[in-house]
Amino acid sequence: MPTLILLMIFGAAAFSFWSAGRAAAERAEVVGRDACRAAGVQWLDQSVHSIGLRIIRQESGWLGFERTFRFDYSIDGEDRHVGRMILRGDKLIAFSGPVTREPSQLH
């Protein structure tokens, strides 16, 4: 019986980790798509790719995850450039990629 309880706790923790990772990837897709639209460039492959995961201490003092994502974009349809963003939870911490000529707010 204790083995089953431990297995259920481990399963719940694994599902929670996976769910938080999917939510971060969906948030990164929105940020990447909006940045490409604002800069007037083409967002390639319609996806982002997770390239890093770190454990960090949040402002509240609790441990959390910092996830790094990359995406590809094209300026003229014949080239390919790499953009990168870092998310802590659902908060955008760093972004490098297409830039707009006019300042705009990314969600």
Side-chain angles (χ1 to χ4, degrees):
M1 193 61 147
T3 305
L4 181 59
I5 293 173
L6 291 175
L7 185 61
M8 289 172 56
I9 291 172
F10 177 76
F15 177 76
S16 177
F17 177 76
W18 175 81
S19 180
R22 284 305 319 142
E26 290 172 6
R27 172 82 173 116
E29 282 184 26
V30 169
V31 170
R33 186 179 305 122
D34 288 348
C36 289
R37 185 178 301 123
V41 299
Q42 182 181 7
W43 187 44
L44 301 176
D45 304 331
Q46 307 301 312
S47 65
V48 295
H49 307 281
S50 178
I51 59 171
L53 176 70
R54 291 187 336 160
I55 295 177
I56 51 102
R57 186 159 308 273
Q58 299 173 345
E59 292 84 17
S60 64
W62 289 91
L63 293 177
F65 291 110
E66 179 180 273
R67 290 176 166 88
T68 305
F69 295 93
R70 70 176 278 277
F71 64 97
D72 296 329
Y73 64 96
S74 175
I75 295 172
D76 60 6
E78 293 185 15
D79 57 352
R80 182 176 284 260
H81 301 281
V82 176
R84 186 172 156 253
M85 66 187 86
I86 300 174
L87 297 175
R88 286 187 186 158
D90 64 344
K91 184 178 179 184
L92 180 65
I93 300 300
F95 181 85
S96 66
V99 294
T100 62
R101 297 198 189 336
E102 299 174 10
S104 63
Q105 181 68 21
L106 297 177
H107 331 145

